[in-house]
Amino acid sequence: MASAHAESVQPLAVTASAKSPAQMIDRDSECTRCHDENETKPILSIYQTAHGNKADARTPSCQSCHGESVKHLASKSDAPDVIFGAKKAVYTPNKTQDQNVACLSCHEKDPKRTHWQGGAHQAADLSCTSCHVVHSAHDKVREKPTQALVCFTCHQDQKAQANKFSHHPIPEGKIACSDCHNPHGSAGPKLLVKNTVTETCYTCHAEKRGPFLWEHQPVTEDCSNCHTPHGSNITPLLKSRPPFMCDECHDGTHNSVSPVAGNAAGIQGGLTGAPANPSASYTGRACMNCHSMVHGSNNPAGALLQR
Ligand code: HEC
Ligand code: HEC
Ligand code: HEC
Ligand code: HEC
Ligand code: HEC
Ligand code: HEC
Ligand code: HEC
Ligand code: HEC
Ligand code: HEC
Ligand code: HEC
């Protein structure tokens, strides 16, 4: 797996982190004598980030990320060992894998990166810098109000969904993609932070977990039987409109118990207390006018999710 290049990068972090803070600043000065505040792109602003906290012995020097760059130090016409990014600026960027090794040499042990290898983003050849910028005090992808903008550059479908009538408050900056997904990889499906969709939903909607005296089977099974996570024009985040949604599983409902036949759409023809005009069950809350406890009921008389 490790290319010759990767091998040349890997031990650096170890060397760097063995140095004292004062030695680290000294090391940087080898580079910052040229790459100073006169650069067109921000370089020294890295000192305003966690990577510039020289009081912390784990903090990288320029060379822990860019490599020792002996040739570059000797002659500007030679590139530094590690050039990040996707576009050719002055020198050709290194292969994604080699860029990532430079970061992972310190960050692979972090619990959140355990599943990076083999995760969807690693498999799609993304680099850490597809999302992160490190030479800026503002790393948009780590800030809640701006994170989605970074994701949306590649995920246009989710952008469209997040703008639908009913949506999780992502555009409003109240929750972030990373509240549900770990972009670095996960043990669950679709990079979810938990092992299942439902467990992920419970992290915020704990009241839906129950246990209920009367469970509604599709709810305990999977929230996405009825809901879609990113956005829908049917409120609240529903996959289709009741009563049709309910009838996908309860086709012909009430036929068995009611003397008056329903039809395929589940119109409540002759039930006690049913609306005189059956079409009323198509409007507004439809089936939930009566079966209001759609997620489960704790009322001893709630077997039919009516209370
Ligand atoms: C003698 C001056 C000098 C020194 C010392 C120096 N560089 Fe450079 N470096 C340059 C020049 C000139 C370029 C060409 C691009 C430019 O003008 O920024 C460059 C380019 C780079 C680039 C790529 C910029 C791009 O746009 O692709 C990186 C990364 C870089 N240097 C890192 C380093 C690191 C890390 C060190 C310390 C190990 C270092 N440099 C030391 C002069 C220097
Ligand atoms: C934590 C890793 C890391 C450290 C430490 C680091 N860099 Fe960088 N450097 C990067 C990455 C990643 C990029 C690509 C642009 C970005 O993410 O901001 C980059 C870009 C650059 C560039 C090109 C500017 C551009 O935007 O194209 C230069 C020059 C540079 N670094 C020099 C330095 C110097 C000098 C130091 C030490 C003061 C340093 N770097 C420390 C990771 C690092
Ligand atoms: C020499 C070790 C080292 C290397 C190499 C390194 N980092 Fe870091 N990084 C650190 C340390 C130390 C911190 C501070 C961690 C902490 O506070 O727990 C950090 C913090 C971060 C943070 C969080 C910043 C914050 O404000 O909390 C991000 C994001 C990050 N690194 C990304 C990267 C990326 C991307 C690369 C590669 C371009 C990289 N790192 C390379 C050591 C390193
Ligand atoms: C698809 C976008 C994306 C990619 C690719 C990505 N990250 Fe992140 N990263 C994020 C987001 C979003 C956050 C903030 C939310 C969080 O902490 O999970 C973050 C946070 C971090 C943090 C600080 C908080 C923490 O988790 O400890 C570090 C360190 C980090 N990333 C390192 C990396 C490294 C190293 C790589 C490459 C192997 C990488 N990231 C690739 C999106 C990304
Ligand atoms: C409330 C939790 C939640 C939030 C917030 C969230 N997602 Fe998701 N996402 C899910 C769930 C659950 C799935 C899997 C079920 C599905 O595909 O509908 C998923 C699936 C995905 C998929 C895979 C879709 C597919 O068809 O395979 C992508 C890509 C995605 N999300 C991106 C994003 C982006 C980008 C954001 C932020 C704008 C985001 N998600 C915010 C819960 C969430
Ligand atoms: C540089 C482009 C790029 C960026 C930026 C990006 N992604 Fe992705 N993402 C991809 C690619 C490529 C895939 C794999 C193919 C696919 O499913 O579309 C993917 C897949 C996913 C998946 C589905 C995983 C699966 O198992 O099917 C989720 C969820 C996801 N990304 C979330 C995010 C989130 C959240 C962010 C922002 C923090 C983000 N992505 C940023 C390119 C990107
Ligand atoms: C990070 C926390 C978080 C997670 C995880 C989460 N939600 Fe939400 N959810 C919210 C917030 C915040 C709201 C908006 C509440 C408000 O506006 O009062 C919301 C609203 C909703 C709504 C009502 C939407 C509307 O238009 O009124 C539904 C339905 C919903 N979430 C379902 C889910 C499902 C299904 C999952 C799992 C895929 C999930 N949520 C995961 C935080 C979360
Ligand atoms: C059988 C379909 C179905 C399933 C499965 C389902 N829901 Fe719902 N959910 C609904 C309906 C219908 C509404 C609207 C209720 C209303 O209008 O009275 C709703 C409303 C919501 C709301 C917003 C109003 C409220 O009650 O807070 C949230 C949040 C929510 N569901 C979360 C979840 C979570 C989390 C799961 C998985 C544990 C889940 N739902 C599973 C059908 C379902
Ligand atoms: C994904 C399939 C599915 C969807 C969608 C669904 N249900 Fe159910 N529902 C079930 C299953 C399975 C049971 C348990 C049936 C059993 O125990 O015989 C059930 C039970 C019920 C019960 C209790 C009846 C009994 O005999 O225990 C009511 C009332 C009910 N559902 C109403 C609704 C309403 C209202 C909706 C729409 C908001 C809905 N269901 C959507 C699958 C679904
Ligand atoms: C006007 C009130 C009302 C409306 C609207 C209503 N129901 Fe019912 N439902 C009842 C009552 C009352 C029962 C108990 C059975 C009976 O007395 O006939 C019942 C029983 C049920 C049962 C369990 C009995 C069986 O048939 O297996 C299910 C499932 C059910 N309803 C689903 C639905 C669905 C799906 C809708 C929407 C299409 C709906 N109900 C609309 C009042 C209503």
Side-chain angles (χ1 to χ4, degrees):
M1 166 220 106
S3 66
H5 188 93
E7 277 155 22
S8 75
V9 173
Q10 203 120 35
L12 283 177
V14 181
T15 322
S17 53
K19 302 228 185 247
S20 77
Q23 284 171 311
M24 299 281 284
I25 300 221
D26 270 7
R27 258 169 82 81
D28 282 7
S29 66
E30 289 187 49
C31 312
T32 53
R33 69 190 163 93
C34 293
H35 296 290
D36 57 13
E37 62 283 355
N38 298 322
E39 289 272 2
T40 45
K41 288 187 184 155
I43 300 298
L44 299 186
S45 46
I46 198 164
Y47 293 120
Q48 281 137 44
T49 73
H51 287 133
N53 177 13
K54 297 297 186 192
D56 182 338
R58 301 168 306 160
T59 298
S61 70
C62 312
Q63 285 150 309
S64 354
C65 290
H66 291 288
E68 289 295 333
S69 306
V70 178
K71 286 185 186 159
H72 180 66
L73 283 171
S75 157
K76 294 180 291 197
S77 53
D78 283 311
D81 295 347
V82 183
I83 307 276
F84 295 92
K87 284 189 225 82
K88 187 172 172 165
V90 182
Y91 311 110
T92 309
N94 293 57
K95 287 201 199 91
T96 306
Q97 157 83 9
D98 295 343
Q99 293 182 29
N100 291 353
V101 164
C103 308
L104 288 168
S105 64
C106 291
H107 287 295
E108 193 157 30
K109 321 183 264 307
D110 302 348
K112 278 191 181 170
R113 244 95 34 219
T114 315
H115 300 285
W116 170 258
Q117 301 297 346
H121 283 144
Q122 187 271 335
D125 204 38
L126 261 68
S127 66
C128 310
T129 55
S130 302
C131 295
H132 292 287
V133 290
V134 306
H135 277 280
S136 163
H138 290 289
D139 186 7
K140 283 192 190 138
V141 85
R142 285 188 298 115
E143 291 169 18
K144 223 167 229 195
T146 48
Q147 179 187 98
L149 301 176
V150 177
C151 310
F152 289 159
T153 58
C154 298
H155 294 295
Q156 291 290 325
D157 288 357
Q158 282 69 30
K159 181 181 182 181
Q161 288 159 3
N163 285 317
K164 289 189 174 179
F165 177 67
S166 172
H167 57 258
H168 267 111
I170 299 170
E172 292 78 6
K174 286 190 194 152
I175 73 168
C177 312
S178 60
D179 285 326
C180 293
H181 297 288
N182 183 346
H184 307 108
S186 95
K190 305 285 176 193
L191 300 176
L192 289 174
V193 293
K194 297 286 176 185
N195 285 336
T196 63
V197 171
T198 307
E199 284 296 322
T200 305
C201 307
Y202 288 157
T203 61
C204 296
H205 300 291
E207 78 289 353
K208 301 284 186 283
R209 182 192 278 274
F212 296 104
L213 189 53
W214 309 103
E215 307 271 5
H216 191 193
Q217 193 180 311
V219 178
T220 46
E221 203 176 86
D222 192 336
C223 308
S224 55
N225 276 323
C226 300
H227 293 290
T228 181
H230 308 111
S232 164
N233 285 330
I234 305 161
T235 187
L237 284 168
L238 293 176
K239 284 169 105 172
S240 61
R241 199 176 295 282
F244 304 105
M245 182 185 80
C246 311
D247 276 349
E248 278 158 27
C249 299
H250 295 291
D251 196 32
T253 280
H254 298 140
N255 278 348
S256 56
V257 280
S258 169
V260 181
N263 66 13
I267 295 174
Q268 314 311 312
L271 286 170
T272 317
N277 176 0
S279 68
S281 62
Y282 278 100
T283 59
R285 300 177 66 248
C287 313
M288 289 88 76
N289 279 327
C290 301
H291 303 288
S292 56
M293 304 306 287
V294 71
H295 300 102
S297 168
N298 277 325
N299 189 308
L304 295 173
L305 311 175
Q306 286 169 290
R307 60 200 86 205

